[in-house]
Amino acid sequence: MNLEEYFERIGFHGSFDKPDLATLKLIHKQHVMSVPFENLSIHCGEKNVMDLDAAFNKIVRRGRGGWCLENNFLFGWVLREMGYDTTSLGSRVFDHSLNDFGPLDSHFINKVVIDGKAYITDVSFGMSFQLWEPLELVSGMDQPQAAGVFRLLDQGEMWVLEKTGRKPEVLNPEFAKSSLVKRNETNQIYCFTLVPREAEHFLEINHKLQNETSLFTNKSICSLQAPTGFRALIGWTYGEVTYKPDEGVDVLDIRNIMDDEIEQILLEKFNIKLQNKLQPVNNKSHYTF
């Protein structure tokens, strides 16, 4: 494992002598533009393991993406290697079936302190909830990014991340009423505390998410951020989302694809070539573009 290989993977060619905010913003954005958020291994007969060497080999050397327990785990290592004051945290994702946050820390994030100010980094949530840059850990402050306006709210025992987005403009009439289209403009994303967490904290949830019924067993997911929005493949449904903040809309171009298109879509749109055959899945479970 070395930083040079990681920087090459994300296309970062700047100076990294000084662990400052400008560099953090740059590598954060480069990561989400280069490394997909995906759970395809689960649907290829493979397993995701909480192991830093495995995450590095998969993401950096094999050109794959990963989910938060790989991407943010790796990103935390990168930040520490670069000299950033970095603490890993656990967060509970909002569960629409419960209308509340899930009971377990299923999402891995990192906190970085620079010149006395704390920031939340998250390079692996995917879709329209993906941060392109770190968020300053300040309660109630609107922090606009390409996807919309993000907010961190200090609620005493926990912090909550929420986002206010834009109205969807769906080009394909077949998907006008699809459950894959987000209808609420403001959404809670996850909650977290500032208690430091080591990798061991996530071992149980890493097992549960792959071996029990969960979003990740119900759906095969791959999403990658792009300069004007993002693209995603959920089961057999492929979509490209273009952010148009001046018009107050996100334009969704969604279509269903055939089995024999999947390999080409993964290669052309996500730069992913799988070692084992993907078995796409799109069972009922709340998930939106």
Side-chain angles (χ1 to χ4, degrees):
M1 290 172 56
N2 64 76
L3 284 176
E4 287 72 22
E5 279 187 82
Y6 170 78
F7 290 147
E8 183 68 27
R9 171 72 175 93
I10 67 167
F12 173 70
H13 305 294
S15 165
F16 54 92
D17 297 329
K18 186 181 178 185
D20 57 14
L21 180 58
T23 303
L24 176 62
K25 286 182 175 182
L26 184 55
I27 63 165
H28 195 290
K29 188 172 183 179
Q30 288 291 112
H31 188 114
V32 302
M33 294 286 168
S34 306
V35 180
F37 169 77
E38 52 109 333
N39 70 336
L40 303 181
S41 291
I42 299 172
H43 303 286
C44 291
E46 304 163 5
K47 290 294 182 185
N48 292 334
V49 295
M50 279 294 298
D51 180 88
L52 205 47
D53 286 324
F56 187 92
N57 286 329
K58 179 181 177 181
I59 294 168
V60 176
R61 294 189 173 136
R62 288 166 46 204
R64 285 283 303 278
W67 61 3
C68 70
L69 300 174
E70 300 166 298
N71 264 317
N72 281 328
F73 191 17
L74 175 64
F75 196 64
W77 172 82
V78 168
L79 296 177
R80 293 180 182 94
E81 287 291 299
M82 292 179 71
Y84 287 98
D85 177 358
T86 306
T87 304
S88 296
L89 308 174
S91 63
R92 297 186 290 126
V93 177
F94 191 82
D95 185 332
H96 287 264
S97 67
L98 301 173
N99 197 33
D100 198 357
F101 299 102
L104 299 174
D105 283 346
S106 61
H107 187 58
F108 187 120
I109 58 177
N110 290 292
K111 175 172 71 80
V112 179
V113 178
I114 302 172
D115 297 331
K117 291 185 177 181
Y119 301 86
I120 296 299
T121 72
D122 184 352
V123 296
S124 197
F125 203 88
M127 310 299 278
S128 63
F129 290 136
Q130 179 59 60
L131 301 178
W132 285 12
E133 295 183 347
L135 295 176
E136 188 174 351
L137 191 60
V138 175
S139 183
M141 180 172 72
D142 285 356
Q143 302 192 52
Q145 294 195 13
V149 178
F150 291 90
R151 254 170 250 103
L152 290 166
L153 305 171
D154 183 356
Q155 298 193 346
E157 292 185 356
M158 65 185 186
W159 286 78
V160 171
L161 171 63
E162 68 174 26
K163 188 198 102 171
T164 299
R166 296 173 286 269
K167 289 183 171 63
E169 182 180 306
V170 183
L171 299 182
N172 186 343
E174 291 181 26
F175 288 89
K177 296 183 179 180
S178 170
S179 61
L180 289 169
V181 177
K182 187 164 59 272
R183 310 294 171 181
N184 297 339
E185 288 191 33
T186 297
N187 291 269
Q188 293 184 315
I189 304 174
Y190 53 73
C191 70
F192 60 94
T193 71
L194 302 181
V195 177
R197 301 297 189 188
E198 300 296 328
E200 291 73 21
H201 178 70
F202 300 95
L203 291 175
E204 182 183 355
I205 195 67
N206 183 71
H207 177 80
K208 278 179 175 288
L209 291 175
Q210 299 178 78
N211 294 283
E212 299 178 12
T213 300
S214 72
L215 167 66
F216 297 111
T217 57
N218 276 331
K219 293 185 185 293
S220 53
I221 298 165
C222 185
S223 80
L224 181 64
Q225 304 299 300
T228 57
F230 69 93
R231 56 185 73 106
L233 178 64
I234 305 171
W236 294 265
T237 304
Y238 175 72
E240 296 185 358
V241 177
T242 303
Y243 297 145
K244 294 197 172 181
D246 293 343
E247 299 174 28
V249 297
D250 292 342
V251 179
L252 281 64
D253 189 2
I254 309 172
R255 63 186 174 93
N256 287 323
I257 62 173
M258 305 298 289
D259 276 321
D260 59 7
E261 295 179 84
I262 287 177
E263 187 176 333
Q264 185 180 0
I265 289 276
L266 286 174
L267 187 59
E268 291 183 358
K269 301 298 186 179
F270 304 96
N271 201 27
I272 284 180
K273 185 171 178 59
L274 298 172
Q275 291 178 309
N276 297 314
K277 184 173 176 56
L278 175 67
Q279 301 293 333
V281 179
N282 191 12
N283 294 330
K284 188 174 181 180
S285 194
H286 183 87
Y287 199 62
T288 58
F289 278 90

